[in-house]
Amino acid sequence: MPKSIKIKTKSSPSSYEIRIGQGVLRNAGVLTAEFLGRMPERVAFISNRKVFGLYGAEVTSSVGDAGALRSVSFMGEGERFKNLRTLVDSLEFFSTASLSRTDAVVALGGGVVGDLTGFAASVYLRGIPFIQVPTTLLSMIDSSVGGKTGINTPFGKNLVGAFYQPKGVIIDTDTLKTLPPRELTAGFCEAVKQGAIAGKELFELTEAILRRRSGKDLRHQLDDRAFSSHFAEFLREQLKFKARIVSGDEKEASERTDALSRKILNFGHTLAHALEKVTKFRYFRHGEAVGHGIKFAASLSKNLGLLSKDEVTLLYDVVHMAGRLPAVAGIDPRDVFAALKHDKKVIDGSLQWILLKGIGEPVIVPHAELDRPAMKAAFKDIVRS
Ligand code: NAD
Ligand code: GLY
């Protein structure tokens, strides 16, 4: 039986359900009809060839069996394809597939496919229904939930986009069996991020899963009942946390600076986005850059007298348990600090940093309150780690 988590936003038309379980892809057709309250006449899928090759047949036949006409478009694989060109291709695809506002779009893949597809769905005919079917750990616990959609531009990451909630999210944990180790590391880094800002319970649950994980991937472990039930609890708690934050602050209100503001989800992301940008979105997986970003924010918090040395060490250790991260040693910190200017978290001309004064105690600190030596020292820490 799939478990269900409800996202209840203040504007009730944008509330939706997440259905999570092993093997739920085979129910994709029935779930599509449930999410939309009827079976749409046409369903258009956006995926990439790799993910579609693994799961496309199962999802599309379920949707076909439920009575919809199906069409599929493939986007390129990787962060660099989350761009304007792919957006235009996707809109052309919707048009060629004759989609109307009563039809639906399904994003089948990781966060790249989900962000791009959601944005395309938000602007086509001023918005057509879309469903997220995330297949990476990162997209399951983070990007498929909360309605942030968008693309990268030459000026910076995710700078063009929309808040556009899906009609529903289908999470089949079995898809993680084929996820390569590097992508798992990236997903676990986002999980560590959510644990670090949520509180000791989620942090310790995440740490426990990382300790229990053996081998490079989850291919065999997810067949083990005890592990898969522990893992399912970890996923559900991660999702409940994300759901709680985005339900309370759907559009990341600029004026909010409290510890439940959606802004806290950007913990580790300020440096991460700059790292991704200076390496042209080709060197790091997004989650790997977040891993470095968590360590940087932890060191910075310590340098400002907010966080104890022991907590910084704990954060570094748990990030390292997520897996090996690509080195930052060859990257010039001056380029990284210059790239921060284009971060979308700039408000009233000032960047806002999410730092910690303890595990589960995020604080929002304006960039003006940081000094260069504290930032340089934090960068040195991540180079050395
Ligand atoms: P991704 O979408 O690039 O997927 C990673 C790789 O895994 C791809 O090569 C993909 O083809 C492959 N893959 C996907 N599922 C697979 C499976 N089950 N088995 C085998 N291979 C599989 O990367 P991601 O980490 O999922 O997402 C990163 C993106 O998410 C970034 O663009 C980031 O900005 C975005 N993001 C968005 C939000 C949000 O709130 N919208 C939050 C966090 C991250
Ligand atoms: N991943 C950040 C957010 O959803 O707000």
Side-chain angles (χ1 to χ4, degrees), residues 6-18 35-36 105 114 117-119 121-122 127-132 142-149 162-169 242-243 245-252 262:
K6 285 204 167 64
I7 309 275
K8 282 201 170 146
T9 54
K10 275 190 191 135
S11 79
S12 58
S14 59
S15 297
Y16 53 97
E17 256 184 77
I18 305 166
F35 292 153
L36 272 75
V105 172
T117 306
F119 187 41
S122 79
I128 55 171
F130 98 107
I131 290 172
Q132 290 269 23
D142 191 354
S143 63
S144 64
V145 174
K148 276 191 181 174
T149 70
F163 286 99
Y164 191 65
Q165 304 294 345
K167 292 288 175 199
V169 183
K242 171 114 198 204
I245 298 297
V246 300
S247 300
D249 185 12
E250 189 184 344
K251 297 203 173 160
E252 200 169 306
R262 186 168 179 165

Side-chain angles (χ1 to χ4, degrees), residues 279-323:
T279 53
K280 301 190 167 36
F281 304 111
R282 284 164 192 259
Y283 180 60
F284 295 103
R285 300 287 189 266
H286 171 69
E288 293 170 338
V290 169
H292 283 302
I294 294 170
K295 294 190 288 175
F296 182 80
S299 286
L300 203 48
S301 304
K302 180 193 67 172
N303 297 345
L304 297 182
L306 293 167
L307 198 61
S308 72
K309 205 165 169 240
D310 285 352
E311 283 174 306
V312 176
T313 306
L314 177 64
L315 279 161
Y316 270 66
D317 287 350
V318 179
V319 169
H320 291 157
M321 283 163 67

Side-chain angles (χ1 to χ4, degrees), residues 275 278-279 283-284 292 326-336 379 382-384:
L275 285 176
V278 300
T279 53
Y283 180 60
F284 295 103
H292 283 302
V328 282
I331 300 173
D332 189 332
R334 286 170 300 188
D335 295 340
V336 178
F379 200 85
I382 65 168
V383 170
R384 271 199 300 259

